[in-house]
Amino acid sequence: MTRTESLPLIEPHELANVWTLAQALSADGLIHLLDERNGRAGTKPLTDWNPQTEPGFIKPHYGFVAGDFDQADGLTRARSVAKALCLPCAVMNSGGGEGRAHLWVKVESQDQRARAAKLIKKAEGDLRDTGIRPPGALHRRKQSRAESAEGLTLAEITALLIEGRHPKRAKRSMTERASVRELLERHTPIGERSEALYRAIATAKEQGFTLEELLDLIEECASDPESAAAKLKG
């Protein structure tokens, strides 16, 4: 059995999602093919790419920041960055070895882009502005693929990165929302609360968040009170 044969093929219903997601994440609609030694093996339109058999990488669109964590604890580092950012992020097992990870971050502004890049570098990840394998793409050795570290399907990753909507986040009740607000107010100094909340809401409005999405975002940040207070202050 060859290396390629030992790796299960992408299910037909997910194959279309590989193309859809890769085209949305790509700056130019091209896939840059790789051989087993990581050498260039040509370039072709994504519409002509066969994800089942052809390893390759794309140049990320400006609306996304991509990071590569090639350490044994890379997955932990990528998750830490995603948690700190509180932006739509997809943490991927890169397929390059145990613990290695990719991180995709959806950004809506230059400030978000700069902050994402800063946190990736701080966590000793490599920024991949010029090339990174898209979700579902083969590793060059054809023994693994870039797959969600959180168990998301490719359709769910698309919802997360393209629509900015986490597909597995449950809707919060009014009681739960009140608890989140109470927690945030408890860790934001009196006299700073109104300004902090205004900034958070204004920023969310600029980015197109709904009230429900804003409260979900705040709840994620509130798992670390100091971080939550800092984010409210902008």
Side-chain angles (χ1 to χ4, degrees), residues 179-193 196-197 218 221-233:
S179 297
V180 173
R181 189 166 310 191
E182 180 184 353
L183 175 62
L184 288 168
E185 289 180 350
R186 190 162 63 241
H187 293 284
T188 306
I190 298 175
E192 294 184 21
R193 293 176 184 170
L197 287 168
I218 289 174
C221 298
S223 59
D224 181 342
E226 291 184 4
S227 174
K231 290 179 187 301
L232 280 174
K233 294 174 186 176

Side-chain angles (χ1 to χ4, degrees), residues 81-121:
V81 172
K83 180 179 178 181
L85 283 170
C86 279
L87 292 171
C89 295
V91 179
M92 312 293 297
N93 290 312
S94 73
E98 188 69 28
R100 273 64 172 178
H102 290 165
L103 176 65
W104 286 90
V105 184
K106 177 180 174 65
V107 295
E108 301 284 353
S109 67
Q110 180 57 41
D111 286 345
Q112 287 184 358
R113 184 175 183 82
R115 185 163 180 270
K118 180 180 179 179
L119 288 181
I120 289 172
K121 289 179 180 178

Side-chain angles (χ1 to χ4, degrees), residues 113-134:
R113 184 175 183 82
R115 185 163 180 270
K118 180 180 179 179
L119 288 181
I120 289 172
K121 289 179 180 178
K122 186 176 180 179
E124 298 183 354
D126 293 325
L127 285 176
R128 295 297 188 185
D129 292 337
T130 58
I132 190 169
R133 282 179 294 120

